[in-house]
Amino acid sequence: MIKIKRVYEEYSSEDGFRILIDRLWPRGVSKSNAHVDLWFKEIAPTEQLRKWFSHDPKKWESFKKKYIKELRENKPSLDKIKSLKKEHKIITLVFAAKDEQHNNAVVLMGILRTL
């Protein structure tokens, strides 16, 4: 099972293996309070794409297409997540964005469900 959750939400043991999928560490969150098992920067959107998107919902459809293209070109990172999926019963993709509908975790979870 794959879930997504904001890093600012309260940690739960039901989160399973927690993977931070942002390139930057979330502001105001200590590493111990984040309960992150893996900080996987390589699966995050490139800095160029992240800055271009800037969490603008008007750019959402274009962002999704561009990020999916990046993910498909990043096979080693997708393979690593696939391997972690087999190893852990529950994986929670942790992200910092305020917008819970328009962020890289939503896109990544969609891709992972097709693998």
Side-chain angles (χ1 to χ4, degrees):
M1 177 194 301
I2 299 174
K3 305 189 291 185
I4 61 174
K5 186 175 190 177
R6 286 192 75 223
V7 71
Y8 301 102
E9 292 178 48
E10 192 171 327
Y11 164 78
S12 167
S13 59
E14 294 175 10
D15 291 344
F17 191 80
R18 290 169 53 101
I19 305 171
L20 177 63
I21 58 164
D22 288 339
R23 200 161 289 277
L24 304 174
W25 187 264
R27 288 185 187 165
V29 177
S30 70
K31 292 194 177 175
S32 62
N33 286 342
H35 297 277
V36 168
D37 297 300
L38 173 65
W39 182 11
F40 197 20
K41 300 177 209 175
E42 298 82 8
I43 202 83
T46 59
E47 187 168 339
Q48 180 183 3
L49 180 57
R50 178 183 61 81
K51 286 181 176 180
W52 170 83
F53 177 47
S54 190
H55 298 284
D56 180 352
K58 293 179 205 135
K59 295 179 179 177
W60 175 241
E61 291 304 319
S62 292
F63 170 77
K64 280 195 315 189
K65 288 176 187 162
K66 290 176 184 202
Y67 184 40
I68 288 169
K69 183 177 186 283
E70 284 186 359
L71 288 169
R72 290 202 170 120
E73 292 170 354
N74 190 358
K75 189 167 174 5
S77 292
L78 284 177
D79 288 345
K80 182 171 183 167
I81 295 249
K82 269 175 42 177
S83 160
L84 289 168
K85 261 176 57 173
K86 290 177 185 171
E87 193 178 325
H88 301 279
K89 197 173 193 174
I90 300 170
I91 289 180
T92 299
L93 305 175
V94 183
F95 65 97
K98 288 180 186 174
D99 187 336
E100 295 186 36
Q101 328 281 249
H102 305 100
N103 63 67
N104 59 312
V106 171
V107 178
L108 180 56
M109 186 171 71
I111 290 287
L112 292 174
R113 286 188 170 158
T114 66
L115 299 178

